[in-house]
Amino acid sequence: MACSLHVAWDDGLTSYNFGPQHPLAPVRVELTMALCREYGVFDRPNVALNAIEPASEELLGLVHRADYIEAVKRAGKTLEPDDPYCLGTSDNPVFPDMHDASALVAGASVRAASAVWNGESEHAANIAGGLHHAMPANAWGFCVYNDAALAIAWLLEQGAKRVAYVDVDVHHGDGVQTMFYDDPRVLTISLHESPMTLFPGTGRPTETGGPGAEGYAVNVALPAGTNDSRWLRAFDAVVPPLLREFQPEVLVTQQGADTHALDPLANLMLSVDGQRHIYSALHRLAKETAGGRWVVLGGGGYELVQVVPRAWTHLLAEASGAGIDPAVDTPQAWRDFVRERTGEVPPLYMTDGRTVEVTPFEAGFDPDDSVDQAIQATRRAVFPSHGMDPSL
């Protein structure tokens, strides 16, 4: 069934650009939007592309310190590094007008949250957002301002009592977790590659929330090499029961596509087909547990041509209520644009040709299986705080 979808967009979102050698290249967003247009996703009567405004300093101050905001503004003018704020590192190079570009991304995510909260649309998306590593007083992991945390903080300011955040990026959603670690109004769930093998080195199942918020930070740390079926088994074992218990007023999700086997910066082995299953599952859970109120953000993803555009086109189509047949060819006009824009050979189909089958965790726990061990570690750490039995 079709769902109303607000897409927060401005061409200026592609100005969040750390330079030609940096892995977080804005062309991935450009190619995603182009592919969506070729499939007519934005022409659907229930989909609206809406203008955005940069987040003000006052708004950014909901999650970031004033001195850090000033440092970002200054660095974008002087182009000089500022070590205390992690500006000018190899991960977070300074670039001209960095504050303006980052504030626009943040503003887009707040606009998406407002569209859902104010009843303009059931679902809303900022595909250029999901910069989940940024901390209150420093840049971190390619992220200057934490638009995901800002959208959640804005919802709380409007009176929301329960906001759930589900992060499926291959990297731990450490910035969002940090900002709400002591707040039981926000349930943060992150499924990511183990901190033993990947940045940022956090996200262990024992990180469960601060005093008064025990069990409201949830971390599923998956071993390198986890594939579609095992990843989805972990998701099914943790996310639906917690969301059903928590009953959020709004579901905010970060949809990093860097779990894919082709991603150059990580070690999970998902396919576009497995990622498409994640989007469908989150859509269902938004309807079941959050009254359909779903805020969709982008995130990581560093295979810029083969993975991100296809994955996020499936995501936006799913959020509109009508997915794209994975077996269809990619449009010839889009393939031509990819070659012109990047010089690379584009993918020919919207599928990786994988058949995804999932055995539910409830069917039996294998104590020798590393994914099952990760699942059980998380359930034991947080389920009792919610009155739930981790063994069921």
Side-chain angles (χ1 to χ4, degrees):
M1 185 175 64
C3 309
S4 55
L5 172 64
H6 168 116
V7 179
W9 179 251
D10 185 289
D11 288 344
L13 288 169
T14 60
S15 65
Y16 187 85
N17 187 349
F18 289 113
Q21 304 306 315
H22 196 279
L24 188 72
V27 71
R28 69 201 186 119
V29 176
E30 187 180 346
L31 295 181
T32 298
M33 296 298 286
L35 187 55
C36 284
R37 289 188 177 98
E38 288 296 328
Y39 281 121
V41 173
F42 301 142
D43 296 328
R44 295 171 179 175
N46 57 308
V47 177
L49 232 64
N50 289 308
I52 57 177
E53 294 182 356
S56 67
E57 291 180 45
E58 180 182 6
L59 182 57
L60 290 168
L62 292 178
V63 296
H64 290 294
R65 274 186 2 203
D67 59 313
Y68 173 57
I69 298 169
E70 286 303 313
V72 174
K73 292 171 66 177
R74 184 171 58 247
K77 293 175 181 175
T78 67
L79 303 185
E80 294 292 330
D82 198 334
D83 292 343
Y85 300 104
C86 299
L87 297 170
T89 65
S90 58
D91 275 1
N92 309 297
V94 296
F95 60 92
D97 301 317
M98 181 166 59
H99 167 79
D100 298 329
S102 304
L104 190 64
V105 175
S109 291
V110 172
R111 181 67 186 93
S114 71
V116 168
W117 182 252
N118 294 326
E120 296 174 49
S121 182
E122 290 178 273
H123 310 329
N126 172 22
I127 207 66
L131 304 178
H132 60 166
H133 293 306
M135 294 293 176
N138 62 273
W140 194 238
F142 311 165
C143 305
V144 177
Y145 294 141
N146 196 319
D147 64 287
L150 186 61
I152 295 168
W154 183 88
L155 288 165
L156 298 177
E157 284 284 301
Q158 304 310 302
K161 299 294 191 293
R162 296 179 312 283
V163 179
Y165 172 76
V166 178
D167 189 318
V168 302
D169 196 287
V170 78
H171 302 94
H172 177 226
D174 55 342
V176 181
Q177 175 179 287
T178 295
M179 292 179 185
F180 301 106
Y181 201 66
D182 299 321
D183 193 337
R185 295 175 298 172
V186 181
L187 174 68
T188 63
I189 306 175
S190 179
L191 296 94
H192 47 265
E193 185 179 331
S194 169
M196 300 296 290
T197 55
L198 194 65
F199 175 91
T202 55
R204 291 169 172 80
T206 51
E207 299 167 30
T208 61
E214 296 89 346
Y216 288 86
V218 181
N219 289 289
V220 186
L222 295 164
T226 298
N227 63 14
D228 289 327
S229 61
R230 307 302 290 166
W231 194 102
L232 288 161
R233 176 178 170 88
F235 178 96
D236 288 344
V238 173
V239 179
L242 285 170
L243 291 182
R244 288 168 184 150
E245 177 64 27
F246 186 62
Q247 289 292 302
E249 293 168 90
V250 182
L251 175 62
V252 179
T253 64
Q254 196 269 19
Q255 308 283 170
D258 42 9
T259 52
H260 195 280
L262 293 180
D263 195 273
L265 301 188
N267 310 290
L268 297 190
M269 298 297 291
L270 274 67
S271 66
V272 166
D273 305 288
Q275 291 172 333
R276 191 168 54 86
H277 276 257
I278 299 169
Y279 309 151
S280 297
L282 287 168
H283 192 178
R284 291 192 301 270
L285 286 167
K287 288 190 174 295
E288 177 188 346
T289 69
R293 291 177 290 274
W294 185 22
V295 179
V296 178
L297 306 176
Y302 309 98
E303 211 319 311
L304 310 175
V305 172
Q306 300 299 320
V307 176
V308 176
R310 291 188 299 156
W312 286 351
T313 296
H314 277 304
L315 172 64
L316 292 175
E318 173 65 36
S320 78
I324 293 170
D325 182 353
V328 301
D329 296 357
T330 53
Q332 185 61 51
W334 182 77
R335 296 180 198 173
D336 294 341
F337 179 62
V338 169
R339 291 190 182 94
E340 174 190 338
R341 187 69 182 79
T342 70
E344 295 190 28
V345 177
L348 301 181
Y349 305 101
M350 289 296 287
T351 178
D352 286 336
R354 303 281 182 86
T355 300
V356 181
E357 297 180 356
V358 182
T359 303
F361 183 72
E362 289 71 16
F365 166 64
D366 181 353
D368 296 323
D369 182 89
S370 57
V371 171
D372 278 9
Q373 291 168 7
I375 293 169
Q376 194 68 326
T378 300
R379 287 168 60 117
R380 285 174 176 160
V382 298
F383 273 29
S385 297
H386 297 274
M388 300 162 62
D389 187 341
S391 65
L392 299 179

